[in-house]
Amino acid sequence: MGRGDLTDAEWERLRPFLPVSNRRCGRCRDHRQVIDGILHRVRTGVQWRDLPERFGPWKTVYGRHRLWSVNGTWERLLQQVQAAADAAGEIDWDISVDSTIVRAHQNAAGARTDPPSAPVSKGADEVEHQDETPCQSLVARLVGVVLEVRAGVGRAAGSPAKST
C-alpha cells in the first residue's frame, strides 16, 4: 500500500456502495486499485498517462473515472458514505457564517503594533490528520474527487464545440 492509498478501514466502508461489475467485458480491474489510482491523480495532479504502473493501465483508471463521473457514481458514493457516517455520529457538521456582513468595531482600525510571530514548522515525526477517523478521511477524499468532477463538467459546459 502506497502513501495516500485507501486504508483497509476506508476500503471496508466504501466497498458496499460500489457498483457491481457485470463481467461482460472480460476481466474487470479491481475497484480498490482503480480508486487508489484516481485518488493519486487527484492528490498529485499528475497526467493520466503518468500514473504509476501499480494502479494498472492508465486507460482503465481514466475510463472508470470518466464513466463514474458521467453516471453520477461519485456523487452517490459521497452521499452514501456521508449518510452512513452521519448516522453513526462520526461527522461533526460545522456551520460557516459569511463574515462580509459583520462590522468591525471602530477601534479595530489601524495597524498592528506587535510583530507577527514566526511560523511554526512541522516536525518530521508529526502525523498528518491524526485526529481524523477513517470515515472523515474517506469523506474528505471523496469530496476532492467530486469537486474535480464538478469542475471538469463546468469547464466542458463553457467550452465551445469542437469540430474535426
Side-chain angles (χ1 to χ4, degrees), residues 105-116:
H105 189 271
Q106 62 188 3
N107 294 342
R112 186 181 333 180
T113 57
D114 57 340

Side-chain angles (χ1 to χ4, degrees), residues 7-161:
T7 64
D8 291 336
E10 290 172 337
W11 174 244
E12 289 306 318
R13 284 205 177 245
L14 190 60
R15 186 170 40 161
F17 305 119
L18 292 172
V20 179
S21 171
N22 59 10
R23 303 240 185 225
R24 286 189 320 205
C25 301
R27 203 176 121 233
C28 184
R29 175 87 35 199
D30 179 33
H31 282 322
R32 184 174 184 169
Q33 184 181 28
V34 171
I35 291 172
D36 283 339
I38 293 167
L39 292 175
H40 176 78
R41 184 189 178 276
V42 170
R43 188 178 72 251
T44 62
V46 70
Q47 297 294 319
W48 287 109
R49 291 179 183 262
D50 296 332
L51 276 176
E53 291 179 10
R54 67 187 174 97
F55 300 120
W58 71 267
K59 287 183 179 183
T60 301
V61 179
Y62 168 75
R64 187 94 40 96
H65 176 62
R66 181 168 165 72
L67 173 69
W68 287 1
S69 298
V70 171
N71 69 14
T73 299
W74 288 118
E75 297 276 348
R76 247 185 347 273
L77 282 174
L78 178 61
Q79 290 171 356
Q80 291 170 333
V81 169
Q82 275 182 335
D86 190 29
E90 295 178 343
I91 294 183
D92 182 24
W93 296 100
D94 292 331
I95 297 175
S96 176
V97 178
D98 184 10
S99 63
T100 58
I101 60 166
V102 178
R103 292 179 182 251
H105 189 271
Q106 62 188 3
N107 294 342
R112 186 181 333 180
T113 57
D114 57 340
S117 61
V120 179
S121 63
K122 292 176 102 176
D125 55 335
E126 185 175 325
V127 178
E128 292 182 23
H129 311 289
Q130 63 190 22
D131 294 336
E132 278 187 351
T133 65
C135 189
Q136 289 170 330
S137 173
L138 179 60
V139 168
R141 291 172 182 213
L142 288 175
V143 166
V145 173
V146 168
L147 289 176
E148 181 190 73
V149 168
R150 289 179 184 167
V153 169
R155 283 192 305 268
S159 63

